[in-house]
Amino acid sequence: QVQLVESGGGLVQAGGSLRLSCAASERNFVLKTMGWYRQAPGKQRELVARITSGGNTNYANYADSVKGRFTISRDNAKNTVYLQMNGLKPEDTAVYSCAASYAADKFDYWGQGTQVTVSS
């Protein structure tokens, strides 16, 4: 069972930046797909970004609401994924959770989540 631990959440003013990190317990095999979800009060869980390893190339996808502001990256050797969040808006406030899988286009393992709060 893969364990995922997120860090980097906190309180920031509108227009500010935060960088989230997620470290996986897996040490011997690459977690092909890693990504970030978020859930705000009263709203459904939303896939923010995902990144899939293609060997020597990583493929990233973003929700329209964050495209141009957020950047997802990963370290394949360490099975660690990051989310750089710039130009934060109050509507970005949510619990952000890390997810991963050994396969493409799916998530099997989940972290506990980290709170991101953006004030106006």
Side-chain angles (χ1 to χ4, degrees), residues 37-82:
Y37 280 83
R38 69 183 181 186
Q39 187 165 30
K43 294 189 175 182
Q44 296 182 347
R45 187 169 61 183
E46 172 189 27
L47 177 61
V48 177
R50 78 166 74 198
I51 186 164
T52 302
S53 175
N56 58 0
T57 304
N58 296 322
Y59 302 91
N61 292 286
Y62 300 91
D64 289 341
S65 59
V66 307
K67 195 171 186 178
R69 298 187 296 121
F70 292 10
T71 302
I72 189 169
S73 61
R74 62 179 291 164
D75 184 332
N76 291 343
K78 298 179 180 180
N79 279 321
T80 300
V81 65
Y82 308 92

Side-chain angles (χ1 to χ4, degrees), residues 10-18 69 85-93 116-120:
L11 174 64
V12 65
Q13 294 185 28
S17 299
L18 285 173
R69 298 187 296 121
M85 304 183 293
N86 298 326
L88 284 163
K89 305 174 180 180
E91 50 263 46
D92 293 319
T93 295
V116 171
T117 302
V118 184
S119 64
S120 59

